[in-house]
Amino acid sequence: MTRTSSAEATAREEVAAPVASPRTGLARARRVGGRALSAVTVLLGAATAAFLAQAALPGDRATTILNIRSGQAVARTPEELAPIIAQFGLDRPLVRQYLDYLAGLLRGDLGSSYQQFRPVWDIIGEQLAATLVLSLTAIALAWLLMVVWVVATAGRGPRVRGLGQTVDTVAAGLPHYWLGIVLLLVFALTLHWAPVMGGDGIEALLLPALTLAIPLGGFMGQATRAEFERALEQPFVVSARMRGMGETELRLRHVLRHAVLPAVTLSGWALGATISGAVVVESIFNRPGIGRVLVTAVSSQDIPVVTGIVVLIAAVYVIANLVVDVLYTAVDPRVRIA
Amino acid sequence: MTTLAPAPVAPPVSASRPRRRRPAPSLVAAIAVIAFLLLAAAWPALLATHSPTANDFAAALQPPSFAHWFGTDEAGRDLYSRVVWGARESLLIGAGAATVSLGLAVVLGTAAALGGRILSGVVGFVLEVAFAFPALLLALLLVAVLGPSAWTQVLAVGIGTAPGYARIVRAQVLAARSSGYVEAAVALGHPRRRIVLRQILPNALRPLVAIFALSVGQSIVWASSLAFLGLGVAPPSSEWGALLDAGRAYITRAPWLVVIPGLVIVALALAATSLGGHLRTALDKGEKA
């Protein structure tokens, strides 16, 4: 499918190129530039929100930090507080702290943990890969499940259609914690097809990824199904059938391509959503990852770690959306003209 | 709680249709689930079979049976009765979070759609930024700052889910603003304030009835996710999220302690989604008729 689409796209571009090249080129550069600019401002906003969350910690910040660090709630002497104030620059005016924080972010410095005596980036960095692998596997699985299910059930008479839709809705509504535990009970504890906890092979990845993939697939399926059924009504379907194309080939080669656009748009959002879903899933399956780090940090009020992860995920979301934008143009050449 | 009552569903459906048709089975099931849980919230003693707090260590960790429909927990307490008694707090958290969420959404969405250039620009930017945070993360950030409690859950879930609804409200208000009746009101020389209050808002906010139903279900799911992570109401309570949190320790020996409260939450969420969908269709039809 992708092969024919890119071939068609290049063919069309070659035809159009000599006439429209300078203008469309400019428009495209402008469009990408505009997107990049808005991505940067959104990131700036996310960083500001993160800073405000750190500044909003109730009470005297140095005392709070020291108490969080030691797990106590007592008043502190100035001698005790002095090193904390120096380390976090708390004696500087708030605007200066804000600018310092932004400057730190530009250098890739997410601040330092209240609880562990380490930079936040070190804490997140060593766990990030595990979570990304889980998220990307989940998104791939969701696409696979969704495409198979929609192609098989969309526009096949009222019964099958109804079943397809119901499964989409139910799947989209399943909370991760519940689905994860049911999968764990069925496949790991009863059937022994997968390891119960931990492990780092492919088999250990399957159930956590499936837990994230099923609701996501249901969600994308709802959008794709509507579009798929609309595409099935199009004249090009009739003409392909008249040429003698088989139903399966027709669905996979022509209809699907028209139907996946909404799901492609959702994929950028999906990356952020699966990473945040990983918080629950990693906790159920006892997997390492930033989700586990986040839960620990939230319950111990280690705010810099929390904001570090939040800013990182916001960045992932923004970048993923930029990529999706480019992908969108590749899948649907019509967008390029607009 | 009264705002949750499914009563207003039936009239628009039947009124918009000349012939009375049998209601869809999914709608009947949704109303049955919601009615049962509302009754449990209003009058738990009527539905519960046991005391939710009576310990009976001889009957600890029993699987579901005729005597204990949902089984028993580690202290021999009847899980079904605990679920029934937990309904009030759970539904209140869900309704509270949905109110916070939609309240914020209406203010932000309306400001983004109708405000002057600066106001709508600022609000639009805030929404754009909020969208970069998945709902659960935004909620976790708030829990980290405020510390875990039922009130934090309401605020965190409400604020976490508000941006999505704000976008819907903005679209609705924009659509209403460019409609024929607003144009007519402008042509008649009505003052702007009156047009906004009398024409745009009532029409734009009508679908919110449907969205509120959906949002209560979603809020309970998010709140229970927080509780599952140990960041919600503390376990001695029988709020559903707290039941999940408490049951996790016994997941291999007594899986029903997590699976059944989870199933209740899933059933409520699906019922709320289904009811919201039916309400929206009914409202759309009412608009056309």
Side-chain angles (χ1 to χ4, degrees):
Chain A
M1 187 198 92
T2 20
R3 202 161 42 90
T4 48
S5 72
S6 57
E8 270 172 35
T10 22
R12 204 178 293 183
E13 223 170 303
E14 270 162 19
V15 174
V19 194
S21 163
R23 272 195 67 189
T24 45
L26 193 68
R28 199 172 178 185
R30 218 191 233 165
R31 186 164 160 271
V32 171
R35 293 282 167 161
L37 189 69
S38 86
V40 169
T41 51
V42 166
L43 276 180
L44 184 67
T48 309
F51 175 78
L52 289 177
Q54 294 180 47
L57 209 57
D60 174 51
R61 272 180 77 197
T63 311
T64 315
I65 293 170
L66 199 57
N67 283 338
I68 287 171
R69 183 167 280 181
S70 60
Q72 293 168 304
V74 290
R76 299 290 180 171
T77 60
E79 293 79 46
E80 283 179 303
L81 294 177
I84 298 284
I85 291 175
Q87 187 192 348
F88 291 94
L90 296 177
D91 49 346
R92 299 186 195 140
L94 214 54
V95 178
R96 177 73 200 283
Q97 288 182 38
Y98 174 58
L99 293 177
D100 283 348
Y101 180 68
L102 290 185
L105 285 184
L106 283 181
R107 293 192 308 265
D109 175 12
L110 293 169
S112 49
S113 161
Y114 288 167
Q115 195 153 49
Q116 310 179 32
F117 297 81
R118 289 201 295 162
V120 171
W121 177 247
D122 288 2
I123 300 173
I124 301 174
E126 60 198 32
Q127 306 285 344
L128 188 60
T131 302
L132 277 181
V133 167
L134 175 63
S135 292
L136 294 174
T137 316
I139 292 176
L141 258 178
W143 267 97
L144 183 74
L145 292 173
M146 184 275 279
V147 165
V148 169
W149 184 244
V150 167
V151 168
T153 59
R156 300 265 197 203
R159 284 266 167 89
V160 180
R161 243 165 93 176
L163 175 73
Q165 247 168 5
T166 310
V167 170
D168 284 351
T169 316
V170 171
L174 291 176
H176 291 132
Y177 62 81
W178 191 75
L179 183 60
I181 279 185
V182 169
L183 289 176
L184 187 73
L185 286 171
V186 174
F187 291 103
L189 291 172
T190 314
L191 296 172
H192 301 289
W193 288 358
V196 176
M197 298 271 164
D200 43 21
I202 301 250
E203 31 345 316
L205 187 61
L206 190 64
L207 287 187
L210 210 54
T211 307
L212 290 171
I214 289 174
L216 179 61
F219 197 70
M220 295 196 303
Q222 290 175 322
T224 309
R225 180 177 306 273
E227 208 57 32
F228 198 95
E229 283 174 350
R230 204 169 303 144
L232 272 175
E233 308 284 310
Q234 299 282 323
F236 72 81
V237 171
V238 180
S239 80
R241 282 200 177 119
M242 273 167 61
R243 291 200 307 269
M245 188 177 267
E247 183 70 17
T248 312
E249 196 192 354
L250 170 77
R251 280 169 178 252
L252 287 175
R253 281 190 52 174
H254 293 286
V255 181
L256 187 60
R257 191 172 158 206
H258 282 255
V260 292
L261 283 176
V264 171
T265 323
L266 281 176
S267 283
W269 165 85
L271 191 58
T274 47
I275 295 180
S276 88
V279 174
V280 173
V281 170
E282 285 169 1
S283 159
I284 296 173
F285 292 93
N286 221 5
R287 274 179 68 83
I290 54 171
R292 294 283 297 286
V293 176
L294 183 58
V295 174
T296 319
V298 169
S299 50
S300 60
Q301 289 205 306
D302 197 344
I303 311 279
V305 175
V306 179
T307 52
I309 292 175
V310 167
V311 166
L312 191 70
I313 293 178
V316 167
Y317 167 88
V318 166
I319 292 166
N321 266 332
L322 265 180
V323 173
V324 163
D325 238 38
V326 176
L327 261 183
Y328 210 89
T329 346
V331 180
D332 187 356
R334 286 172 299 184
V335 181
R336 226 173 281 169
I337 302 157
Chain B
M1 288 331 299
T2 40
T3 37
L4 263 174
V9 193
V13 176
S14 50
S16 65
R17 285 192 189 135
R19 265 184 309 128
R20 239 173 182 282
R21 262 178 46 186
R22 264 196 310 167
S26 64
L27 181 61
V28 175
I31 292 180
V33 168
I34 291 173
F36 181 85
L37 293 175
L38 282 179
L39 186 59
W43 197 0
L46 183 73
L47 295 173
T49 53
H50 294 71
S51 153
T53 47
N55 294 347
D56 176 6
F57 289 98
L61 297 179
Q62 280 185 0
S65 65
F66 191 73
H68 299 285
W69 297 347
F70 290 177
T72 58
D73 69 4
E74 73 281 4
R77 291 173 296 195
D78 179 61
L79 184 61
Y80 166 73
S81 304
R82 285 180 70 69
V83 168
V84 167
W85 278 94
R88 183 179 298 166
E89 199 176 352
S90 304
L91 289 177
L92 278 177
I93 288 177
T99 309
V100 170
S101 175
L102 291 189
L104 268 175
V106 167
V107 171
L108 290 175
T110 310
L114 297 179
R117 187 186 285 180
I118 295 172
L119 181 62
S120 65
V122 169
V123 176
F125 176 69
V126 168
L127 287 180
E128 200 71 31
V129 172
F131 249 95
F133 303 114
L136 184 61
L137 278 196
L138 202 50
L140 283 174
L141 185 62
L142 286 161
V143 174
V145 174
L146 302 172
S149 76
W151 285 108
T152 306
Q153 258 181 319
V154 168
L155 268 184
V157 172
I159 295 174
T161 54
Y165 296 125
R167 211 174 245 199
I168 297 176
V169 171
R170 177 170 61 180
Q172 292 283 350
V173 173
L174 284 176
R177 196 179 66 171
S178 59
S179 66
Y181 51 80
V182 170
E183 219 169 288
V186 174
L188 286 171
H190 288 310
R192 186 183 152 81
R193 227 181 104 83
R194 186 176 149 169
I195 296 174
V196 169
L197 290 178
R198 289 279 192 79
Q199 312 280 343
I200 298 183
L201 286 183
N203 281 292
L205 301 187
R206 197 133 58 112
L208 284 191
V209 181
I211 293 177
F212 185 80
L214 196 139
S215 167
V216 171
Q218 288 306 308
S219 298
I220 290 180
V221 170
W222 288 120
S224 60
S225 297
L226 287 180
F228 181 83
L229 295 169
L231 302 170
V233 182
S237 151
S238 72
E239 191 265 331
W240 298 338
L243 290 180
L244 291 172
D245 187 21
R248 278 189 72 184
Y250 302 93
I251 185 69
T252 48
R253 282 198 292 159
W256 57 88
L257 287 180
V258 175
V259 173
I260 291 179
L263 200 58
V264 173
I265 294 168
V266 172
L268 173 64
L270 287 176
T273 309
S274 164
L275 181 66
H278 283 287
L279 267 174
R280 192 180 302 180
T281 333
L283 287 169
D284 282 353
K285 281 205 182 113
E287 221 157 85
K288 270 176 206 145

